[in-house]
Amino acid sequence: MGSIMHKIDITEEFYIARRKLKAFFCSLVYRLCQIFPIEQDKIVMWTFEGTGGYGCSPKYIAEEILKRNREGKTSFKIVWLLEDMGKTFPKEIVKVKSTLWTRAYHLSTARFWITNTRTYYGTKKRKGTTYLQTWHGTVSLKPIGRYRGDALPKMAYLVSRYDSRMIDYALSGSRWCTQMWPDGLIYDGKILETGSPRCDVLFNGIKEKHVQLRKEYKVPIDAKIMLYAPTFRGGSQNKGRNVNAEVCSLDLNRMVEALEKRFGGVWYVFLRLHPQLAAQMDRLPVNTASDRFIDVSQRPDMNEIIAACDACLTDYSTAIFESFLTRIPGFIYADDLKEYVADRGKLMFTMEEIPFPVAQDNDELVEAILGFDQEAYEEKVEAFIRRVGIMEDGRASERVVDLVEELMAKKDPS
């Protein structure tokens, strides 16, 4: 055993050394690009290390900025870094293919960075640039950062610490997140309780999204939709980044039958995989033969999907702690609970503490759906919201852009 562990340690240290060397050379490109002046009206955004599209909190902050630009109140220029230039964005947003040189130039000349994920290892932020971290999760079951304990890979810790030292403000939507971010994000800077901009649509866009997404995916307007959003597996391991796309035991046909029996109407299922899993959809077989199963994984904005749905099912995704803001039924399907905890670390809440029915196999899920009590569920949701101090109200984007304007009004710190 000792010799095996020794080999693993050597492999990990070699991988880390390689990453550090690559980061050093990347940082030289950023230093070179600092010869260019900062553009005071320039905001650079990206999601999920450039693999995401127009979604999550940066989208809703951008929407508020564009609204104010159109009204003549502001004149910001938004540059969005992304891997796939075919993704759709508003015409006012400048899309830029993310490469080392384009990232270095645009991030070095931006007044603001706004993202929901980490920067690339080796990124350098100059004086005069403000970095707003919106993060892509709120209250959660799955642990992040130091909460993972020994399950946190050393490389993941180093990348997180490196990035967090550049953050000027981390945004929070609850007292729980405010208290958790220091260890969760490995961050000791300023935390602002603005609310989560991506949750604004759950207060302001329910009716619109109910109709819009049904039309786009050719679902009857009066049909009901269950969102199934399994979480991301894997991460920064010893030899690099990997994604786990194991076979899922969920029987969607049985689930749909139970939903129709309990709630009535015709039900469809929207499958929304994590952006890093979506590319491997063909490796995630699900037991279904129904045409009511629709893959919406390529849609960049999870929260507009939540806004369109009538129920939510996940294993450990934070999405369910946002879907309950609309009071739609939420269910946990955790058929690999012990394995997940062993790999990821101890969950942030016990299954008894959360307001959702929990199932570990299809029989338990059907039983949970058929016995679902909406009134009792809403009481549990209200109690949980009070306990963790969720402060979402549909106006987070306004508060964040107010902050951006306030910072812009100050004397150039560079």
Side-chain angles (χ1 to χ4, degrees):
M1 176 63 73
S3 61
I4 293 176
M5 290 303 298
H6 181 62
K7 290 178 181 178
I8 292 175
D9 289 342
I10 290 176
T11 301
E12 180 181 27
E13 292 303 322
F14 177 72
Y15 171 67
I16 290 172
R18 261 194 319 148
R19 289 287 303 274
K20 286 184 174 179
L21 182 62
K22 181 180 179 181
F24 170 74
F25 284 109
C26 288
S27 71
L28 297 180
V29 178
Y30 281 86
R31 294 191 186 282
L32 179 62
C33 287
Q34 288 182 6
I35 63 173
F36 299 103
I38 291 176
E39 299 175 36
Q40 292 300 312
D41 61 349
K42 183 175 178 178
I43 301 174
V44 175
M45 298 185 179
W46 69 98
T47 56
F48 297 110
E49 298 173 333
T51 62
Y54 192 50
C56 205
S57 287
K59 168 187 173 178
Y60 291 96
I61 296 170
E63 294 283 284
E64 179 64 22
I65 289 172
L66 294 179
K67 174 175 172 285
R68 297 188 190 191
N69 278 358
R70 292 167 190 145
E71 293 171 347
K73 297 177 181 178
T74 56
S75 57
F76 289 108
K77 172 186 176 182
I78 300 175
V79 173
W80 202 291
L81 301 172
L82 69 160
E83 299 287 345
D84 181 1
M85 293 294 286
K87 292 184 182 294
T88 302
F89 284 76
K91 62 182 181 180
E92 300 99 319
I93 293 178
V94 179
K95 297 192 297 183
V96 172
K97 175 72 174 177
S98 181
T99 67
L100 171 59
W101 284 95
T102 57
R103 289 194 302 272
Y105 172 76
H106 286 290
L107 293 176
S108 297
T109 56
R111 177 65 179 83
F112 294 94
W113 301 353
I114 300 177
T115 185
N116 73 343
T117 187
R118 298 295 185 181
T119 54
Y120 283 81
Y121 198 35
T123 299
K124 289 290 182 182
K125 182 170 77 75
R126 65 197 291 187
K127 183 180 179 182
T129 297
T130 300
Y131 178 6
L132 303 181
Q133 175 57 258
T134 71
W135 203 240
H136 53 272
T138 50
V139 177
S140 66
L141 273 174
K142 63 182 182 181
I144 62 172
R146 293 192 185 98
Y147 289 102
R148 295 188 63 186
D150 294 339
L152 177 66
K154 184 177 179 180
M155 191 68 240
Y157 170 79
L158 293 174
V159 169
S160 297
R161 185 182 65 177
Y162 181 93
D163 176 74
S164 288
R165 287 175 174 172
M166 294 187 288
I167 297 171
D168 293 289
Y169 302 96
L171 308 187
S172 168
S174 67
R175 290 195 312 270
W176 187 87
C177 285
T178 300
Q179 294 166 4
M180 193 268 278
W181 279 170
D183 283 333
L185 297 184
I186 311 176
Y187 171 69
D188 60 3
K190 296 178 181 177
I191 300 173
L192 302 180
E193 294 182 339
T194 58
S196 308
R198 69 179 166 276
C199 290
D200 289 353
V201 69
L202 303 179
F203 293 85
N204 309 320
I206 297 292
K207 291 182 179 179
E208 174 193 346
K209 297 304 177 184
H210 260 248
V211 173
Q212 178 189 340
L213 269 70
R214 281 164 175 74
K215 286 185 176 179
E216 287 188 27
Y217 292 101
K218 297 180 173 54
V219 173
I221 295 297
D222 59 349
K224 297 180 180 180
I225 299 172
M226 165 71 91
L227 168 62
Y228 175 44
T231 193
F232 170 71
R233 301 290 205 283
S236 299
Q237 310 299 336
N238 295 349
K239 296 184 180 180
R241 195 168 185 86
N242 65 80
V243 176
N244 183 3
E246 297 296 336
V247 175
C248 176
S249 67
L250 177 64
D251 188 330
L252 289 170
N253 291 318
R254 286 189 66 192
M255 182 183 74
V256 167
E257 289 174 3
L259 288 167
E260 292 182 345
K261 185 174 181 179
R262 167 60 184 86
F263 298 102
V266 177
W267 281 78
Y268 286 71
V269 178
F270 277 0
L271 171 65
R272 175 52 155 74
L273 299 179
H274 188 283
Q276 289 168 307
L277 267 175
Q280 303 188 40
M281 175 61 189
D282 59 340
R283 290 177 50 203
L284 193 79
V286 179
N287 182 13
T288 180
S290 174
D291 59 1
R292 298 191 204 165
F293 173 69
I294 301 171
D295 177 24
V296 297
S297 300
Q298 298 305 320
R299 195 175 195 93
D301 183 9
M302 165 66 101
N303 286 63
E304 70 173 357
I305 300 173
I306 293 174
C309 290
D310 302 280
C312 181
L313 173 70
T314 187
D315 42 17
Y316 316 101
S317 172
T318 61
I320 198 165
F321 291 98
E322 298 183 7
S323 71
F324 75 178
L325 294 173
T326 69
R327 304 305 188 266
I328 61 173
F331 302 89
I332 298 289
Y333 184 76
D335 60 345
D336 64 344
L337 181 58
K338 291 182 179 179
E339 294 86 351
Y340 186 80
V341 171
D343 176 67
R344 182 80 192 188
K346 183 180 177 182
L347 299 182
M348 302 299 290
F349 298 95
T350 66
M351 292 301 180
E352 292 71 34
E353 291 177 296
I354 59 177
F356 317 107
V358 179
Q360 296 192 55
D361 58 39
N362 285 291
D363 290 340
E364 291 183 2
L365 179 60
V366 169
E367 182 181 351
I369 292 172
L370 294 178
F372 186 80
D373 184 328
Q374 181 70 32
E375 184 177 348
Y377 171 71
E378 291 190 18
E379 289 178 0
K380 291 179 181 179
V381 167
E382 294 291 346
F384 188 85
I385 286 175
R386 290 194 299 270
R387 175 187 171 186
V388 299
I390 290 176
M391 55 193 67
E392 308 295 353
D393 63 358
R395 300 187 61 189
S397 300
E398 295 177 25
R399 283 189 281 272
V400 174
V401 180
D402 285 346
L403 171 66
V404 169
E405 289 194 53
E406 178 185 334
L407 294 171
M408 272 290 296
K410 294 182 177 179
K411 186 177 180 181
D412 180 5
S414 63

